[in-house]
Amino acid sequence: MYQALLADATFHEQLLVFDRDIAASARAARCRLCGGALHCGSYARKPRGGPAGLGPEHAERFSFCCAVDGCRTRATPPSLRFLGRHVYLATVVTLISALMLGTTPARLARLSVIPGLDRRTLARWRAWWRSSFTERPFAAFARAALVPPVDIAALPVSLLERFAGDVTERLIALLRFLGPLSGGASTMRAI
Ligand SMILES: [Zn+2]
């Protein structure tokens, strides 16, 4: 089920539409510091793990720069496609992490069809889920929003289970929930 979603180009097109909507809202809200107009400042990423055949627009991280001289503040809205500085798509980080929870050697072998995805990357993702929900500022937000608290060791499956609907709807709700982690904060190290 998770693997089918990973390969589903239509699903990725849907996420792109959501990201465009979020970006349009962020632009309409103007500069958070001076209220100035925001100009397009999108930049290219090289996302890994998506299905073959996605157009170049799927590599575009929507972002804006304030048009006012002396301000020029950058505004990078939340994204359902990019998760901070993870080089793999947010969907890949989430679904592969979910698959890994009940892993078997055979399943691990199947996962290796995603280029460059090795055990060290998977271990880093596992550590990232844990630290995001226990240590970083996001943890306070998550604790307030999730009552009773999610089982940290079972992330991200324990989080997917908190949302209603089919797998697609749950994943979209999860990606929206992770929005505060998806911004372009330069302080986050590449993972
Ligand atoms: Zn400004």
Side-chain angles (χ1 to χ4, degrees), residues 27-38 66-68 71 73:
R27 188 170 202 174
R30 304 177 72 88
C31 175
R32 66 184 180 279
L33 288 188
C34 77
L38 294 177
C66 176
V68 175
C71 182
T73 300

Side-chain angles (χ1 to χ4, degrees), residues 125-165:
W125 290 356
R126 191 163 287 175
W128 178 84
W129 285 106
R130 177 176 291 273
S131 65
S132 294
F133 281 76
T134 56
E135 297 166 13
R136 299 180 185 185
F138 183 75
F141 163 75
R143 268 197 299 273
L146 302 167
V147 180
V150 287
D151 178 0
I152 301 291
L155 285 167
V157 170
S158 55
L159 184 57
L160 279 169
E161 288 170 348
R162 293 301 177 93
F163 302 110

Side-chain angles (χ1 to χ4, degrees), residues 25-189:
S25 297
R27 188 170 202 174
R30 304 177 72 88
C31 175
R32 66 184 180 279
L33 288 188
C34 77
L38 294 177
H39 285 182
C40 183
S42 295
Y43 50 92
R45 297 280 308 260
K46 291 181 180 173
R48 293 187 197 164
L54 289 183
E57 65 274 20
H58 287 272
E60 185 181 359
R61 179 63 169 101
F62 300 128
S63 188
F64 302 98
C65 284
C66 176
V68 175
D69 274 337
C71 182
R72 303 289 184 195
T73 300
R74 181 169 282 276
T76 301
S79 169
L80 275 66
R81 297 176 297 147
F82 300 102
L83 196 49
R85 298 191 54 186
H86 280 288
V87 292
Y88 285 87
L89 292 169
T91 294
V92 177
V93 173
T94 302
L95 295 184
I96 297 292
S97 297
L99 280 168
M100 286 298 295
L101 281 178
T103 193
T104 63
R107 179 174 276 172
L108 192 63
R110 280 206 301 279
L111 295 182
S112 70
V113 298
I114 294 183
L117 189 54
D118 55 26
R119 284 168 185 263
R120 278 174 43 191
T121 302
L122 297 170
R124 281 200 300 274
W125 290 356
R126 191 163 287 175
W128 178 84
W129 285 106
R130 177 176 291 273
S131 65
S132 294
F133 281 76
T134 56
E135 297 166 13
R136 299 180 185 185
F138 183 75
F141 163 75
R143 268 197 299 273
L146 302 167
V147 180
V150 287
D151 178 0
I152 301 291
L155 285 167
V157 170
S158 55
L159 184 57
L160 279 169
E161 288 170 348
R162 293 301 177 93
F163 302 110
D166 60 21
V167 174
T168 304
E169 290 164 334
R170 286 168 186 244
L171 178 59
I172 288 169
L174 178 145
L175 294 173
R176 285 194 187 280
F177 186 80
L178 297 182
L181 294 170
S182 71
S186 58
T187 49
M188 282 180 67
R189 62 187 173 80

